[in-house]
Amino acid sequence: TLVMVILALAGAASYKSGIVDETVNKKLSELVLTLFTPVLLFTSFQKNFSKDLLSGLAAAASLSLASFAVIWFICKCVVYRQEKDYAAVEHIAMMYSNCGFIGIPMAQGIWGTDGVFYMTAYVAAANFLLWSHVVIVMSGKRDMRSLGNVFTSPTILSIVLGVFCFLAQIRIPAIMKEPMDMIANMNTPMAMMVAGINIAQADLKHTFKKRRLYWLSFVKLILMPMSLVGLFLLIPVGREVKTVMVLATSCPVGVTGSLFALRYGKDAVYASELFAMSTV
């Protein structure tokens, strides 16, 4: 965690010193989402086939869906008294963690490619829900056309291609694997620097004065993961798989909430404050 903090501080310092600005940060974010992370996800599947890995991936997929079901219920309980628009922003911010920018680097740092391998199940589930559940909650409409965006996103394409290569045992040549590994290794430092730049842009003095943000951060960072720990104790699945799922849920609020709030005319500033508070 301290390694992640130092990388984020480097990003914040780069922004405060004027080396990067909002425009550059947006491009860096796109670079992480469309190149570094997809390559990392794909290369994590370049493993020798084993039944243990396959059963672990299937278990991770099942636990991901169970995790989102538990989180959804907790979110409903937390936001039910809130005004409709604020409830939508809080629900989405709380339910969808920053598993891409923080979860994947953490899994990679702790378990290497095995951690990323299992994390792909959670990331895939989150991406499918982003373009179905999130659109419905934010817009109030069932826009099924948005589901098409799921199947064309670099993240999902890399996971699908990676699973296919894993099952068929298709290995990419060494001359391609080496530069792809180098690109994949850039994911953690760049993702955390982007997170640090995002925090540096926030008005933290104003954010820290809102008491509800402390309560929501407690629910997101403590209550939700601990609920899953209790649930997973009853499920006979490997500890590494269960820990990766808890880790993904333990991540702070994702920046996705701000993007969707902006898109559907909700309070994007409040969503950004949730992101900043939980990340700090």
Side-chain angles (χ1 to χ4, degrees):
T1 304
L2 289 175
V3 171
M4 301 293 115
V5 170
I6 292 169
L7 290 170
L9 288 174
S14 298
Y15 177 79
K16 291 295 185 181
S17 62
I19 297 174
V20 297
D21 55 18
E22 290 88 345
T23 303
V24 173
N25 187 45
K26 184 177 180 181
K27 293 296 183 182
L28 291 176
S29 178
E30 291 178 0
L31 193 61
V32 172
L33 291 173
T34 59
L35 179 62
F36 297 159
T37 299
V39 170
L40 173 62
L41 294 175
F42 174 78
T43 55
S44 72
F45 286 96
Q46 291 287 295
K47 298 176 176 293
N48 292 325
F49 178 85
S50 76
K51 291 184 178 180
D52 288 340
L53 282 174
L54 185 60
S55 62
L57 186 62
S62 300
L63 292 186
S64 296
L65 296 177
S67 299
F68 278 111
V70 171
I71 295 169
W72 176 87
F73 176 75
I74 294 174
C75 287
K76 280 296 211 182
C77 294
V78 171
V79 308
Y80 80 102
R81 286 186 177 180
Q82 287 291 87
E83 190 270 328
K84 185 178 180 181
D85 282 355
Y86 279 98
V89 171
E90 289 183 357
H91 189 156
I92 297 309
M94 301 280 286
M95 187 165 174
Y96 297 97
S97 66
N98 205 351
C99 58
F101 280 100
I102 295 179
I104 292 175
M106 286 288 283
Q108 184 184 24
I110 298 171
W111 292 287
T113 56
D114 283 352
V116 178
F117 182 82
Y118 295 129
M119 183 68 79
T120 56
Y122 192 94
V123 172
N127 273 268
F128 277 106
L129 290 170
L130 279 174
W131 293 103
S132 52
H133 173 249
V134 174
V135 172
I136 292 171
V137 172
M138 284 292 197
S139 67
K141 302 175 183 177
R142 296 182 179 274
D143 184 10
M144 292 296 106
R145 290 180 298 178
S146 295
L147 285 173
N149 293 319
V150 174
F151 301 102
T152 58
S153 70
T155 300
I156 294 298
L157 289 175
S158 65
I159 292 174
V160 171
L161 185 60
V163 170
F164 174 76
C165 291
F166 172 68
L167 295 176
Q169 282 298 280
I170 298 173
R171 295 301 184 89
I172 56 178
I175 192 64
M176 293 177 61
K177 181 73 164 50
E178 186 173 349
M180 289 180 74
D181 285 340
M182 290 180 178
I183 293 172
N185 289 334
M186 294 170 70
N187 183 78
T188 295
M190 190 58 68
M192 291 311 304
M193 287 185 71
V194 169
I197 294 169
N198 287 333
I199 293 172
Q201 294 177 39
D203 183 358
L204 294 180
K205 288 184 179 179
H206 182 261
T207 299
F208 288 147
K209 293 178 181 178
K210 295 188 175 182
R211 286 195 287 180
R212 182 165 176 80
L213 295 180
Y214 290 92
W215 162 242
L216 295 176
S217 294
F218 170 78
V219 173
K220 179 75 190 77
L221 301 172
I222 304 296
L223 184 59
M224 287 182 176
M226 292 306 296
S227 298
L228 293 183
V229 169
L231 173 64
F232 291 166
L233 286 174
L234 306 174
I235 301 176
V237 175
R239 185 179 180 186
E240 185 175 342
V241 176
K242 292 192 285 189
T243 309
V244 169
M245 294 300 103
V246 174
L247 176 64
T249 307
S250 304
C251 293
V253 170
V255 73
T256 310
S258 303
L259 299 178
F260 276 93
L262 197 62
R263 181 178 184 179
Y264 291 103
K266 299 295 190 292
D267 194 336
V269 174
Y270 185 51
S272 297
E273 289 175 338
L274 275 165
F275 164 81
M277 174 67 86
S278 64
T279 303
V280 171

